[in-house]
Each structure stands twice: as structure tokens, then as C-alpha cells.
Amino acid sequence: MRLTIVAATGGIGRHLVEQAVAGGHEVTAVARRPRDLPPGIRTVAVDLAAPDPRALASAVRGADAVLSGLGPRDPRTDVGITSGGTRAIVAAMQAEHVRRIIIVSAAPVGPVPVPGQPKPPRHDPGDGFFMRHLGSRFARALFGKHYADLALTEQILRDSGLEWTVSRPPKLIDKPLTGTYRVALNRNIRGGFSVPRADVAHHMLRMVDQPETVKQVVGVAS
């Protein structure tokens, strides 16, 4: 399968590249500094903070799916890169007639209002007592602008007409791949407080061939 992986040197992106190559896929890796990527794969240099439309179009051309681990280096200050970069990726895919895209968002995003959904539910249906009353409030107090940008990113996908899937993990941690995690459609995972980045990448790759995840938000957690 021909896969384009965006933000390929990031925390999730590097796992996507490693696992996709190990799985025998033909990979095009998009990164600001592609020299940091392993040899033997096609690379395209794109700064998603100021994306070059022609470079992005060449990166997604002929792809069976695009997987994006795009996110800010510092979610408290580096706001806007995810929505802006995703908007550029969507435009490139539409221009090149590529349909399938899977992106990473975050578990606390569900109750965040956006123009297309100004009155979302007060709580995610998968959240337990702690997340409903303490955890989500604490997270939004620290990273509210980041979650607002992720909510806008999800809205961009909903409006795109593409075959999109949103992965919503909780706290990301740097532990080895386990291949064992819980998933749920359109809800967070009850009691799921963290998940390894490697497992998120593993699940994203699995969802490429899961039609039931198209136009769905998918919770994933250990």
C-alpha cells in the first residue's frame, strides 16, 4: 500500500514510518527536516507552519492513504499549526483525488465548541467521573487553545468530503509498542488515562483498511 505520512519525524510520525516500512508499505514521508528520516524511503520537505501547496500535492499524489501525526511542539504556545497544516493537506488531497486520511487529535476535544458544532455535548460519553469533573477541566485549563485548534481541525475534516478518521488518544507516553489497547467509536475509553505513541501509530495503520472507521472519531487508550 502507498502511504503518505505527515509530520514523519514527530513523536507519532516516526513510529508510523517505522511500522509502515516494517509492514512492507511504500512510504512517502513528509517532514520539515527529512534528513532526520531513515534512508530508503521517499521524503518530501514541507514546513507545515507555512506549507508549500505544490510540495504537498507531490507528497500525496498516488497515495492510498494519508496519515498525519501533526501537532505543535509546545501545545501551550505553538497554536494553529494543526488546523492550518491539516487544511493544506486536505486541499492537496482534494486536488490529487486522494480520499483516505487518518489524523491524531486528543481525548478532551469532544466537548469543545467550533463553528460547525457550537453546542457540543458537555461531556464525552466515554468519560468517567474523574474526567467529567476534574481531569477534563484541568486539561482544558492548561491546553485550552490547543484543544480548540484540534476541534477546528476535526471540523475541517468533517467538511472536506474525504474519507476521514480521527484518532483521539489520552496522554501520550514514550513506551515500547504493545499492540494491546482498547478502542471505541465516537467516545473516549473509560479509565483510559494514557497510551504509548507507538500503539497509537499501530492503530492508525490498522484503521486504513477498516471501512467502519470512515467518518468516525475513534478513542484509543491502554
Side-chain angles (χ1 to χ4, degrees):
M1 188 173 290
R2 292 170 295 182
L3 302 177
T4 296
I5 297 173
V6 179
T9 58
I12 291 174
R14 59 188 173 87
H15 291 293
L16 284 169
V17 170
E18 178 182 315
Q19 294 175 28
V21 170
H25 298 291
E26 181 182 333
V27 174
T28 295
V30 178
R32 190 164 61 97
R33 293 190 180 95
R35 65 177 180 271
D36 296 333
L37 291 162
I41 61 174
R42 178 178 177 240
T43 62
V44 179
V46 179
D47 183 353
L48 272 301
D52 178 347
R54 288 180 296 180
L56 269 180
S58 73
V60 305
R61 188 171 299 137
D64 295 304
V66 174
L67 298 100
S68 174
L70 183 61
R73 295 180 185 87
D74 187 339
R76 291 168 295 184
T77 60
D78 190 15
V79 177
I81 188 171
T82 310
S83 61
T86 301
R87 186 177 282 108
I89 295 165
V90 165
M93 292 177 65
Q94 291 169 334
E96 295 296 327
H97 307 289
V98 177
R99 301 288 301 161
R100 189 76 172 104
I101 180 171
I102 301 172
I103 72 156
V104 176
S105 182
V109 168
V112 178
V114 289
Q117 193 178 14
K119 295 182 178 180
R122 290 185 61 191
H123 306 288
D124 185 279
D127 286 343
F129 179 87
F130 174 80
M131 287 303 298
R132 284 175 182 248
H133 299 285
L134 294 174
S136 60
R137 292 182 183 180
F138 179 74
R140 286 195 289 270
L142 282 178
F143 306 116
K145 291 182 179 179
H146 172 53
Y147 294 143
D149 190 58
L150 289 178
L152 177 58
T153 299
E154 293 185 12
Q155 184 66 43
I156 290 167
L157 290 187
R158 285 193 291 270
D159 294 340
S160 69
L162 300 178
E163 296 175 357
W164 56 268
T165 302
V166 170
S167 174
R168 282 190 189 162
K171 181 182 179 181
L172 297 168
I173 57 176
D174 287 320
K175 288 189 176 181
L177 173 68
T178 70
T180 302
Y181 42 81
R182 295 175 290 156
V183 300
L185 289 178
N186 299 307
R187 63 179 57 229
N188 292 335
I189 307 299
R190 184 67 60 91
F193 299 111
S194 66
V195 64
R197 289 176 171 87
D199 279 344
V200 175
H202 184 269
H203 184 234
M204 290 174 71
L205 287 165
R206 288 183 62 188
M207 289 194 293
V208 171
D209 281 331
Q210 294 179 342
E212 66 272 19
T213 66
V214 172
K215 297 188 178 180
Q216 301 290 332
V217 172
V218 185
V220 56
S222 297

